[in-house]
Amino acid sequence: MKMSEFKRMVAGELYKASKVEPEYKPDNNRALNQEINQLNLLDTEKIVALEKELFGQTGDELFVNPPLYIDYGKNTRIGQRFYANMDCIFLDVAPITIGDDVMFGPRVSLITASHPIDAGVRQRGLEYGKAITIGNRVWLGAGVIVNPGVTIGENTIVGSGTVVTKNLPANVIAVGNPARILREITDSDRLYWEEKENEYYEK
């Protein structure tokens, strides 16, 4: 049996967006996205309630600071205690999976959509997407762009303005365009910041 156009899209196969939209009917999600962006920023309870409706799955605690921009919404699944600063983009033609205790700076872009290298095939309207996976306790700095098909391992930090084109392992700091590993995150980092934390509570 031939796969539906929407299932082809989510599975990372070639598809035509013009055929997906009538089948999937994303208009309600896009209207919901627009409603969130028009709310008073102090109305956090309403914002969170609508965001839980917008995304495919969320934890109990999350806050994505408007404005935010989403393609489908239901293809993005988010773990517990997620925070994203303003102006983030979730281009989720393929699945986006975000773990627990993840933080995004402003203008982070998760881009699952891509197009064929061949200009003729591209011109004829075929495109595809590749899933993005963000591990637990990852921090993406301001302006980070994550490209299609990328997985970022748990605890990893990605510096501001970085373009992540390939997978990153757990427990590293990565920077640059394209992203390169600056160094590993070590026990000395933990000890240093736990000492600073103790000083905070003692003062």
Side-chain angles (χ1 to χ4, degrees):
M1 183 177 177
K2 187 177 179 181
M3 291 175 69
S4 73
E5 213 72 12
F6 176 74
K7 287 183 178 178
R8 291 185 63 86
M9 179 184 78
V10 174
E13 302 290 340
L14 286 175
Y15 72 94
K16 284 196 174 183
S18 60
K19 293 183 179 180
V20 170
E21 302 231 348
E23 177 187 334
Y24 186 67
K25 298 181 175 62
D27 291 348
N28 288 342
N29 278 18
R30 289 172 184 168
L32 193 58
N33 190 170
Q34 185 177 24
E35 183 179 354
I36 291 168
N37 289 342
Q38 291 173 341
L39 287 172
N40 187 315
L41 293 179
L42 299 179
D43 196 355
T44 55
E45 287 188 11
K46 182 73 178 292
I47 290 169
V48 169
L50 292 180
E51 287 174 350
K52 287 183 176 181
E53 187 179 343
L54 176 64
F55 292 108
Q57 176 184 306
T58 71
D60 294 332
E61 298 176 39
L62 85 153
F63 190 72
V64 182
N65 203 329
L68 68 145
Y69 303 97
I70 264 203
D71 201 358
Y72 287 90
K74 297 303 181 185
N75 294 334
T76 298
R77 304 172 75 82
I78 298 171
Q80 297 289 343
R81 296 171 296 278
F82 176 62
Y83 174 77
N85 213 318
M86 64 187 71
D87 229 15
C88 289
I89 296 172
F90 303 80
L91 201 60
D92 60 346
V93 302
I96 292 173
T97 304
I98 299 170
D100 298 334
D101 301 297
V102 171
M103 298 169 54
F104 288 179
R107 295 190 175 174
V108 166
S109 299
L110 305 184
I111 310 298
T112 69
S114 194
H115 301 272
I117 290 174
D118 180 78
V121 176
R122 191 166 65 241
Q123 181 188 7
R124 289 188 284 275
L126 288 169
E127 54 191 273
Y128 67 98
K130 295 294 181 185
I132 289 173
T133 302
I134 309 294
N136 296 334
R137 298 176 299 279
V138 165
W139 171 23
L140 303 183
V144 167
I145 298 172
V146 181
N147 277 9
V150 164
T151 294
I152 298 177
E154 64 180 19
N155 302 321
T156 283
I157 297 169
V158 182
S160 297
T162 297
V163 180
V164 188
T165 61
K166 296 180 180 178
N167 294 350
L168 292 174
N171 300 301
V172 299
I173 299 172
V175 298
N177 180 8
R180 60 181 177 84
I181 295 172
L182 186 64
R183 67 175 180 88
E184 293 185 354
I185 298 170
T186 66
D187 278 343
S188 63
D189 292 306
R190 177 180 57 80
L191 293 171
Y192 174 83
W193 287 104
E194 284 180 352
E195 182 180 347
K196 290 293 184 183
E197 181 183 34
N198 290 336
E199 290 175 3
Y200 168 82
Y201 286 113
E202 287 170 0
K203 290 180 180 178

